[in-house]
Amino acid sequence: MVGEAKQVLGDLQGVADLETRNKMTLIVFSGDMDRVLAAFNLAITAAAMGTEVTMFFTFWGLNVLKRKRASGSGKGIMRRMLNLMNSGTAEHLPLSKLNMFGLGPWMMKRLMKQTHLPSVEEMMKLARESGVKMIACSTSIGLMGLTKNDLTADVDGVAGAATYLGVASESNVNLFV
Amino acid sequence: MSNVNLRGKRVLSVKADDVLDCLGLYCPVPISETAKKIKSLDVGQVLEVLSDDEGIKMDMPAWCKATGNELLSLEEDNGTFKVYVRRLR
């Protein structure tokens, strides 16, 4: 069986030599639970394989990094409304399909518990422990009227597109989720 | 590295120094736990990983290759996989 697996890997080797590829970036644009789970899954696995992983959270993805009851700076009625209507945290993310006003995520969480799959919060913790860097997009923060105090302590920094592109150009795997 | 037992099955002559039970757990947990656990072993020691996630068949060889550890064997028995990994670095 090892022989088989080694052969398949040997075939893959022509495409990518894993040993020389050791940096990865992920843009987490979506704030949907299913997409965010997929992003964390890859980040954790890559970190376990010795890859240096940086995750950039932007737009709806910022919800993952938001503290409970993050209210924003309260600048302007539109921002207040936005934060009121977009009040998700890592624990309360909708599903991209079959959300059914929250019934979908509730069922998904139960299923994940039954299959011993880590939740978004647990995945975040795992990612932290394995050294995954998490960066919040400064533009999205400004647009949504958030402050650094609205974000969890898991955030390593706040940065913009140039920082992302800088890291991405050094990386071999760059994903947009 | 392996011998044949009385039933004609190949068995490992290597003894595992530690066992990681990942039964009932799915990707990415078996791999991330293996990465954590292997650090508690000395270089040269062998970790036995138990998993019933089919993905381990491809994932563990890939992980070993990426991290520079040695995959000694990967046996399947009725849906349960026993993987032996030697820590090399």
Side-chain angles (χ1 to χ4, degrees), chain A residues 2-30:
Chain A
V2 179
E4 267 172 52
K6 276 186 178 162
Q7 198 191 334
V8 177
L9 280 174
D11 295 340
L12 288 172
Q13 207 173 5
V15 184
D17 190 349
L18 289 167
E19 274 161 4
T20 59
R21 309 193 161 214
N22 51 10
K23 265 194 189 179
M24 172 179 177
T25 69
L26 285 135
I27 297 182
V28 184
F29 180 92
S30 168

PDB file of all heavy atoms in Angstrom, chain A residues 2-30:
ATOM      1  N   VAL A   2       1.977   1.148   0.744  1.00  0.00           N
ATOM      2  CA  VAL A   2       2.900   2.281   0.742  1.00  0.00           C
ATOM      3  C   VAL A   2       3.430   2.490  -0.668  1.00  0.00           C
ATOM      4  O   VAL A   2       3.549   3.608  -1.150  1.00  0.00           O
ATOM      5  CB  VAL A   2       4.075   2.042   1.719  1.00  0.00           C
ATOM      6  CG1 VAL A   2       5.036   3.207   1.683  1.00  0.00           C
ATOM      7  CG2 VAL A   2       3.540   1.840   3.115  1.00  0.00           C
ATOM      8  N   GLY A   3       3.687   1.338  -1.325  1.00  0.00           N
ATOM      9  CA  GLY A   3       4.199   1.393  -2.692  1.00  0.00           C
ATOM     10  C   GLY A   3       3.256   2.159  -3.599  1.00  0.00           C
ATOM     11  O   GLY A   3       3.680   3.052  -4.328  1.00  0.00           O
ATOM     12  N   GLU A   4       1.972   1.823  -3.488  1.00  0.00           N
ATOM     13  CA  GLU A   4       0.944   2.503  -4.300  1.00  0.00           C
ATOM     14  C   GLU A   4       0.958   4.014  -4.061  1.00  0.00           C
ATOM     15  O   GLU A   4       1.018   4.799  -4.999  1.00  0.00           O
ATOM     16  CB  GLU A   4      -0.462   2.016  -3.888  1.00  0.00           C
ATOM     17  CG  GLU A   4      -0.995   0.865  -4.677  1.00  0.00           C
ATOM     18  CD  GLU A   4      -2.282   0.362  -4.031  1.00  0.00           C
ATOM     19  OE1 GLU A   4      -3.170   1.177  -3.785  1.00  0.00           O
ATOM     20  OE2 GLU A   4      -2.363  -0.848  -3.756  1.00  0.00           O
ATOM     21  N   ALA A   5       0.903   4.341  -2.779  1.00  0.00           N
ATOM     22  CA  ALA A   5       0.841   5.761  -2.421  1.00  0.00           C
ATOM     23  C   ALA A   5       2.073   6.493  -2.907  1.00  0.00           C
ATOM     24  O   ALA A   5       1.999   7.611  -3.406  1.00  0.00           O
ATOM     25  CB  ALA A   5       0.696   5.904  -0.911  1.00  0.00           C
ATOM     26  N   LYS A   6       3.225   5.810  -2.765  1.00  0.00           N
ATOM     27  CA  LYS A   6       4.471   6.452  -3.187  1.00  0.00           C
ATOM     28  C   LYS A   6       4.476   6.684  -4.688  1.00  0.00           C
ATOM     29  O   LYS A   6       4.998   7.676  -5.178  1.00  0.00           O
ATOM     30  CB  LYS A   6       5.674   5.600  -2.769  1.00  0.00           C
ATOM     31  CG  LYS A   6       6.088   5.889  -1.334  1.00  0.00           C
ATOM     32  CD  LYS A   6       7.356   5.158  -0.981  1.00  0.00           C
ATOM     33  CE  LYS A   6       7.775   5.508   0.436  1.00  0.00           C
ATOM     34  NZ  LYS A   6       8.717   4.552   0.974  1.00  0.00           N
ATOM     35  N   GLN A   7       3.869   5.718  -5.396  1.00  0.00           N
ATOM     36  CA  GLN A   7       3.838   5.845  -6.851  1.00  0.00           C
ATOM     37  C   GLN A   7       2.985   7.043  -7.266  1.00  0.00           C
ATOM     38  O   GLN A   7       3.378   7.833  -8.118  1.00  0.00           O
ATOM     39  CB  GLN A   7       3.272   4.570  -7.463  1.00  0.00           C
ATOM     40  CG  GLN A   7       3.611   4.447  -8.949  1.00  0.00           C
ATOM     41  CD  GLN A   7       2.831   3.325  -9.578  1.00  0.00           C
ATOM     42  OE1 GLN A   7       2.439   2.381  -8.921  1.00  0.00           O
ATOM     43  NE2 GLN A   7       2.616   3.441 -10.873  1.00  0.00           N
ATOM     44  N   VAL A   8       1.809   7.160  -6.609  1.00  0.00           N
ATOM     45  CA  VAL A   8       0.921   8.285  -6.910  1.00  0.00           C
ATOM     46  C   VAL A   8       1.636   9.598  -6.609  1.00  0.00           C
ATOM     47  O   VAL A   8       1.594  10.549  -7.381  1.00  0.00           O
ATOM     48  CB  VAL A   8      -0.385   8.189  -6.081  1.00  0.00           C
ATOM     49  CG1 VAL A   8      -1.263   9.399  -6.352  1.00  0.00           C
ATOM     50  CG2 VAL A   8      -1.128   6.908  -6.438  1.00  0.00           C
ATOM     51  N   LEU A   9       2.327   9.610  -5.478  1.00  0.00           N
ATOM     52  CA  LEU A   9       3.055  10.829  -5.110  1.00  0.00           C
ATOM     53  C   LEU A   9       4.166  11.117  -6.094  1.00  0.00           C
ATOM     54  O   LEU A   9       4.428  12.265  -6.434  1.00  0.00           O
ATOM     55  CB  LEU A   9       3.637  10.690  -3.705  1.00  0.00           C
ATOM     56  CG  LEU A   9       2.642  10.934  -2.587  1.00  0.00           C
ATOM     57  CD1 LEU A   9       3.277  10.642  -1.259  1.00  0.00           C
ATOM     58  CD2 LEU A   9       2.151  12.370  -2.625  1.00  0.00           C
ATOM     59  N   GLY A  10       4.784  10.043  -6.543  1.00  0.00           N
ATOM     60  CA  GLY A  10       5.846  10.199  -7.533  1.00  0.00           C
ATOM     61  C   GLY A  10       5.304  10.877  -8.779  1.00  0.00           C
ATOM     62  O   GLY A  10       5.947  11.741  -9.367  1.00  0.00           O
ATOM     63  N   ASP A  11       4.075  10.454  -9.156  1.00  0.00           N
ATOM     64  CA  ASP A  11       3.437  11.060 -10.329  1.00  0.00           C
ATOM     65  C   ASP A  11       3.165  12.539 -10.102  1.00  0.00           C
ATOM     66  O   ASP A  11       3.290  13.358 -11.001  1.00  0.00           O
ATOM     67  CB  ASP A  11       2.115  10.350 -10.647  1.00  0.00           C
ATOM     68  CG  ASP A  11       2.335   8.910 -11.057  1.00  0.00           C
ATOM     69  OD1 ASP A  11       3.471   8.584 -11.463  1.00  0.00           O
ATOM     70  OD2 ASP A  11       1.389   8.122 -10.973  1.00  0.00           O
ATOM     71  N   LEU A  12       2.763  12.861  -8.873  1.00  0.00           N
ATOM     72  CA  LEU A  12       2.458  14.251  -8.549  1.00  0.00           C
ATOM     73  C   LEU A  12       3.709  15.118  -8.549  1.00  0.00           C
ATOM     74  O   LEU A  12       3.664  16.309  -8.778  1.00  0.00           O
ATOM     75  CB  LEU A  12       1.797  14.354  -7.170  1.00  0.00           C
ATOM     76  CG  LEU A  12       0.359  13.855  -7.065  1.00  0.00           C
ATOM     77  CD1 LEU A  12      -0.072  13.846  -5.614  1.00  0.00           C
ATOM     78  CD2 LEU A  12      -0.569  14.753  -7.861  1.00  0.00           C
ATOM     79  N   GLN A  13       4.817  14.457  -8.272  1.00  0.00           N
ATOM     80  CA  GLN A  13       6.065  15.184  -8.105  1.00  0.00           C
ATOM     81  C   GLN A  13       6.439  15.996  -9.338  1.00  0.00           C
ATOM     82  O   GLN A  13       7.010  17.068  -9.223  1.00  0.00           O
ATOM     83  CB  GLN A  13       7.174  14.208  -7.776  1.00  0.00           C
ATOM     84  CG  GLN A  13       8.280  14.843  -6.967  1.00  0.00           C
ATOM     85  CD  GLN A  13       9.264  13.798  -6.522  1.00  0.00           C
ATOM     86  OE1 GLN A  13       9.155  12.639  -6.889  1.00  0.00           O
ATOM     87  NE2 GLN A  13      10.243  14.221  -5.755  1.00  0.00           N
ATOM     88  N   GLY A  14       6.073  15.449 -10.497  1.00  0.00           N
ATOM     89  CA  GLY A  14       6.364  16.161 -11.727  1.00  0.00           C
ATOM     90  C   GLY A  14       5.687  17.527 -11.756  1.00  0.00           C
ATOM     91  O   GLY A  14       6.213  18.472 -12.325  1.00  0.00           O
ATOM     92  N   VAL A  15       4.521  17.609 -11.133  1.00  0.00           N
ATOM     93  CA  VAL A  15       3.750  18.850 -11.143  1.00  0.00           C
ATOM     94  C   VAL A  15       4.296  19.832 -10.106  1.00  0.00           C
ATOM     95  O   VAL A  15       4.470  21.007 -10.364  1.00  0.00           O
ATOM     96  CB  VAL A  15       2.257  18.555 -10.863  1.00  0.00           C
ATOM     97  CG1 VAL A  15       1.433  19.831 -10.971  1.00  0.00           C
ATOM     98  CG2 VAL A  15       1.736  17.495 -11.821  1.00  0.00           C
ATOM     99  N   ALA A  16       4.522  19.325  -8.913  1.00  0.00           N
ATOM    100  CA  ALA A  16       4.954  20.221  -7.845  1.00  0.00           C
ATOM    101  C   ALA A  16       5.905  19.507  -6.895  1.00  0.00           C
ATOM    102  O   ALA A  16       5.603  18.439  -6.404  1.00  0.00           O
ATOM    103  CB  ALA A  16       3.733  20.707  -7.073  1.00  0.00           C
ATOM    104  N   ASP A  17       7.037  20.067  -6.686  1.00  0.00           N
ATOM    105  CA  ASP A  17       7.952  19.504  -5.705  1.00  0.00           C
ATOM    106  C   ASP A  17       7.631  20.132  -4.356  1.00  0.00           C
ATOM    107  O   ASP A  17       7.906  21.288  -4.104  1.00  0.00           O
ATOM    108  CB  ASP A  17       9.405  19.811  -6.104  1.00  0.00           C
ATOM    109  CG  ASP A  17      10.363  19.032  -5.219  1.00  0.00           C
ATOM    110  OD1 ASP A  17       9.898  18.462  -4.216  1.00  0.00           O
ATOM    111  OD2 ASP A  17      11.557  19.005  -5.537  1.00  0.00           O
ATOM    112  N   LEU A  18       6.986  19.311  -3.519  1.00  0.00           N
ATOM    113  CA  LEU A  18       6.468  19.824  -2.245  1.00  0.00           C
ATOM    114  C   LEU A  18       7.544  20.451  -1.364  1.00  0.00           C
ATOM    115  O   LEU A  18       7.288  21.391  -0.643  1.00  0.00           O
ATOM    116  CB  LEU A  18       5.782  18.695  -1.477  1.00  0.00           C
ATOM    117  CG  LEU A  18       4.450  18.211  -2.048  1.00  0.00           C
ATOM    118  CD1 LEU A  18       4.038  16.904  -1.403  1.00  0.00           C
ATOM    119  CD2 LEU A  18       3.380  19.250  -1.829  1.00  0.00           C
ATOM    120  N   GLU A  19       8.737  19.915  -1.444  1.00  0.00           N
ATOM    121  CA  GLU A  19       9.772  20.359  -0.520  1.00  0.00           C
ATOM    122  C   GLU A  19      10.223  21.799  -0.752  1.00  0.00           C
ATOM    123  O   GLU A  19      10.650  22.472   0.161  1.00  0.00           O
ATOM    124  CB  GLU A  19      10.968  19.419  -0.600  1.00  0.00           C
ATOM    125  CG  GLU A  19      10.788  18.227   0.327  1.00  0.00           C
ATOM    126  CD  GLU A  19      11.698  17.087  -0.052  1.00  0.00           C
ATOM    127  OE1 GLU A  19      12.511  17.249  -0.979  1.00  0.00           O
ATOM    128  OE2 GLU A  19      11.578  16.054   0.601  1.00  0.00           O
ATOM    129  N   THR A  20      10.141  22.239  -2.003  1.00  0.00           N
ATOM    130  CA  THR A  20      10.614  23.588  -2.283  1.00  0.00           C
ATOM    131  C   THR A  20       9.504  24.616  -2.123  1.00  0.00           C
ATOM    132  O   THR A  20       9.734  25.800  -2.264  1.00  0.00           O
ATOM    133  CB  THR A  20      11.170  23.680  -3.717  1.00  0.00           C
ATOM    134  OG1 THR A  20      10.113  23.309  -4.601  1.00  0.00           O
ATOM    135  CG2 THR A  20      12.351  22.778  -3.905  1.00  0.00           C
ATOM    136  N   ARG A  21       8.284  24.142  -1.839  1.00  0.00           N
ATOM    137  CA  ARG A  21       7.151  25.057  -1.769  1.00  0.00           C
ATOM    138  C   ARG A  21       6.689  25.148  -0.329  1.00  0.00           C
ATOM    139  O   ARG A  21       6.045  24.277   0.176  1.00  0.00           O
ATOM    140  CB  ARG A  21       6.029  24.548  -2.657  1.00  0.00           C
ATOM    141  CG  ARG A  21       6.580  24.257  -4.031  1.00  0.00           C
ATOM    142  CD  ARG A  21       5.529  24.042  -5.055  1.00  0.00           C
ATOM    143  NE  ARG A  21       6.179  24.229  -6.346  1.00  0.00           N
ATOM    144  CZ  ARG A  21       5.581  24.739  -7.384  1.00  0.00           C
ATOM    145  NH1 ARG A  21       4.357  25.124  -7.311  1.00  0.00           N
ATOM    146  NH2 ARG A  21       6.228  24.874  -8.508  1.00  0.00           N
ATOM    147  N   ASN A  22       7.001  26.238   0.321  1.00  0.00           N
ATOM    148  CA  ASN A  22       6.690  26.255   1.748  1.00  0.00           C
ATOM    149  C   ASN A  22       6.069  27.551   2.266  1.00  0.00           C
ATOM    150  O   ASN A  22       6.236  27.904   3.414  1.00  0.00           O
ATOM    151  CB  ASN A  22       7.924  25.890   2.558  1.00  0.00           C
ATOM    152  CG  ASN A  22       9.103  26.726   2.151  1.00  0.00           C
ATOM    153  OD1 ASN A  22       8.936  27.684   1.395  1.00  0.00           O
ATOM    154  ND2 ASN A  22      10.278  26.404   2.639  1.00  0.00           N
ATOM    155  N   LYS A  23       5.350  28.258   1.404  1.00  0.00           N
ATOM    156  CA  LYS A  23       4.589  29.403   1.881  1.00  0.00           C
ATOM    157  C   LYS A  23       3.222  29.398   1.222  1.00  0.00           C
ATOM    158  O   LYS A  23       3.084  29.004   0.071  1.00  0.00           O
ATOM    159  CB  LYS A  23       5.301  30.716   1.540  1.00  0.00           C
ATOM    160  CG  LYS A  23       6.168  31.229   2.668  1.00  0.00           C
ATOM    161  CD  LYS A  23       6.568  32.662   2.443  1.00  0.00           C
ATOM    162  CE  LYS A  23       7.614  33.084   3.450  1.00  0.00           C
ATOM    163  NZ  LYS A  23       8.030  34.467   3.231  1.00  0.00           N
ATOM    164  N   MET A  24       2.236  29.840   1.967  1.00  0.00           N
ATOM    165  CA  MET A  24       0.875  29.816   1.439  1.00  0.00           C
ATOM    166  C   MET A  24       0.089  31.008   1.969  1.00  0.00           C
ATOM    167  O   MET A  24       0.273  31.416   3.102  1.00  0.00           O
ATOM    168  CB  MET A  24       0.203  28.523   1.899  1.00  0.00           C
ATOM    169  CG  MET A  24      -1.272  28.425   1.612  1.00  0.00           C
ATOM    170  SD  MET A  24      -1.869  26.824   2.196  1.00  0.00           S
ATOM    171  CE  MET A  24      -3.589  26.962   1.855  1.00  0.00           C
ATOM    172  N   THR A  25      -0.756  31.588   1.121  1.00  0.00           N
ATOM    173  CA  THR A  25      -1.653  32.648   1.591  1.00  0.00           C
ATOM    174  C   THR A  25      -3.086  32.280   1.257  1.00  0.00           C
ATOM    175  O   THR A  25      -3.350  31.551   0.297  1.00  0.00           O
ATOM    176  CB  THR A  25      -1.367  34.009   0.924  1.00  0.00           C
ATOM    177  OG1 THR A  25      -1.746  33.935  -0.457  1.00  0.00           O
ATOM    178  CG2 THR A  25       0.076  34.420   1.039  1.00  0.00           C
ATOM    179  N   LEU A  26      -3.992  32.765   2.071  1.00  0.00           N
ATOM    180  CA  LEU A  26      -5.423  32.582   1.808  1.00  0.00           C
ATOM    181  C   LEU A  26      -6.103  33.920   2.012  1.00  0.00           C
ATOM    182  O   LEU A  26      -5.869  34.582   3.024  1.00  0.00           O
ATOM    183  CB  LEU A  26      -6.017  31.596   2.811  1.00  0.00           C
ATOM    184  CG  LEU A  26      -5.719  30.113   2.643  1.00  0.00           C
ATOM    185  CD1 LEU A  26      -5.349  29.522   3.972  1.00  0.00           C
ATOM    186  CD2 LEU A  26      -6.930  29.396   2.091  1.00  0.00           C
ATOM    187  N   ILE A  27      -6.916  34.326   1.058  1.00  0.00           N
ATOM    188  CA  ILE A  27      -7.773  35.491   1.269  1.00  0.00           C
ATOM    189  C   ILE A  27      -9.132  34.948   1.677  1.00  0.00           C
ATOM    190  O   ILE A  27      -9.749  34.181   0.927  1.00  0.00           O
ATOM    191  CB  ILE A  27      -7.924  36.342  -0.014  1.00  0.00           C
ATOM    192  CG1 ILE A  27      -6.572  36.902  -0.426  1.00  0.00           C
ATOM    193  CG2 ILE A  27      -8.929  37.465   0.214  1.00  0.00           C
ATOM    194  CD1 ILE A  27      -6.633  37.786  -1.649  1.00  0.00           C
ATOM    195  N   VAL A  28      -9.558  35.290   2.880  1.00  0.00           N
ATOM    196  CA  VAL A  28     -10.891  34.862   3.312  1.00  0.00           C
ATOM    197  C   VAL A  28     -11.829  36.044   3.103  1.00  0.00           C
ATOM    198  O   VAL A  28     -11.897  36.956   3.908  1.00  0.00           O
ATOM    199  CB  VAL A  28     -10.885  34.391   4.776  1.00  0.00           C
ATOM    200  CG1 VAL A  28     -12.252  33.861   5.162  1.00  0.00           C
ATOM    201  CG2 VAL A  28      -9.815  33.337   4.984  1.00  0.00           C
ATOM    202  N   PHE A  29     -12.508  36.039   1.975  1.00  0.00           N
ATOM    203  CA  PHE A  29     -13.421  37.108   1.590  1.00  0.00           C
ATOM    204  C   PHE A  29     -14.820  36.802   2.111  1.00  0.00           C
ATOM    205  O   PHE A  29     -15.549  37.673   2.527  1.00  0.00           O
ATOM    206  CB  PHE A  29     -13.432  37.219   0.055  1.00  0.00           C
ATOM    207  CG  PHE A  29     -14.333  38.288  -0.474  1.00  0.00           C
ATOM    208  CD1 PHE A  29     -13.840  39.565  -0.712  1.00  0.00           C
ATOM    209  CD2 PHE A  29     -15.667  38.031  -0.737  1.00  0.00           C
ATOM    210  CE1 PHE A  29     -14.677  40.559  -1.206  1.00  0.00           C
ATOM    211  CE2 PHE A  29     -16.503  39.022  -1.226  1.00  0.00           C
ATOM    212  CZ  PHE A  29     -16.008  40.295  -1.465  1.00  0.00           C
ATOM    213  N   SER A  30     -15.136  35.526   2.103  1.00  0.00           N
ATOM    214  CA  SER A  30     -16.483  35.096   2.482  1.00  0.00           C
ATOM    215  C   SER A  30     -16.622  34.974   3.990  1.00  0.00           C
ATOM    216  O   SER A  30     -15.670  34.631   4.688  1.00  0.00           O
ATOM    217  CB  SER A  30     -16.775  33.742   1.838  1.00  0.00           C
ATOM    218  OG  SER A  30     -17.938  33.178   2.387  1.00  0.00           O
TER     219      SER A  30
END
